[in-house]
Amino acid sequence: MVDITPKSETLRVAVARGHISAKPETIRLIAEHSIAKGDVLETARLAGIMSAKRTGDLIPLCHPIPLTAVRVDLSINEAACRIEIEAEVRTVGRTGVEMESLTAVSVAGLTVYDMCKAVDREMVISDVRLIKKVGGKSGAFTRGECGADNR
């Protein structure tokens, strides 16, 4: 594990996004709250939050970090037949929260898949990526033109 002892505590923020594509019928069932396992978007939101808090247990050598805020939003994009997922994670600490935001998006997508697999096994979780980060020695990062967030 990397020694972060000499680092200064600063506000750390990371935002990640991704999506899960599904058949139009699956998207409709999610929107109508007709999936047998329950409210897909709310369950996936909670799973994303819970996973952000446990990232240090899931990824080897990742520091366990006391988080000060986690927001996970899921929205239906009917035109693209997908669920858009965004996670923002915050802390005041010595290391960043990029892995926590990426984990939250990934696990939220996996939760959607798990809850809907009985009706759609062709779903695809994709484009999980860091959008921005704030804080730390390396400063701010915002996804640039070459990796433009235009999907």
Side-chain angles (χ1 to χ4, degrees), residues 18-150:
H19 62 264
I20 181 165
S21 301
K23 295 177 183 175
E25 174 66 10
T26 307
I27 298 295
R28 184 185 64 75
L29 290 170
I30 293 169
E32 294 174 353
H33 303 282
S34 298
I35 296 292
K37 286 190 173 185
D39 186 333
V40 173
L41 300 184
E42 184 59 17
T43 303
R45 186 181 77 79
L46 289 172
I49 292 169
M50 292 171 64
S51 68
K53 294 167 56 175
R54 302 296 302 264
T55 300
D57 294 331
L58 299 170
I59 299 175
L61 306 180
C62 190
H63 289 87
I65 300 173
L67 305 179
T68 58
V70 179
R71 175 186 55 79
V72 177
D73 294 321
L74 293 96
S75 59
I76 296 172
N77 181 335
E78 288 186 40
C81 290
R82 65 191 193 189
I83 306 294
E84 307 285 349
I85 307 166
E86 180 176 286
E88 179 181 277
V89 179
R90 294 174 170 263
T91 194
V92 175
R94 292 186 161 113
T95 190
V97 287
E98 297 94 90
M99 295 309 300
E100 287 74 9
S101 64
L102 291 162
T103 297
V105 169
S106 299
V107 172
L110 288 167
T111 301
V112 171
Y113 189 95
D114 178 59
M115 294 186 74
C116 300
K117 67 182 181 264
V119 295
D120 185 355
R121 294 200 185 270
E122 294 182 11
M123 292 175 285
V124 176
I125 301 165
S126 58
D127 294 328
V128 176
R129 69 244 184 242
L130 183 67
I131 300 302
K132 77 173 191 176
K133 78 132 195 118
V134 175
K137 187 172 86 173
S138 63
F141 162 82
T142 301
R143 185 165 290 281
E145 288 300 314
C146 290
D149 190 47
N150 57 7

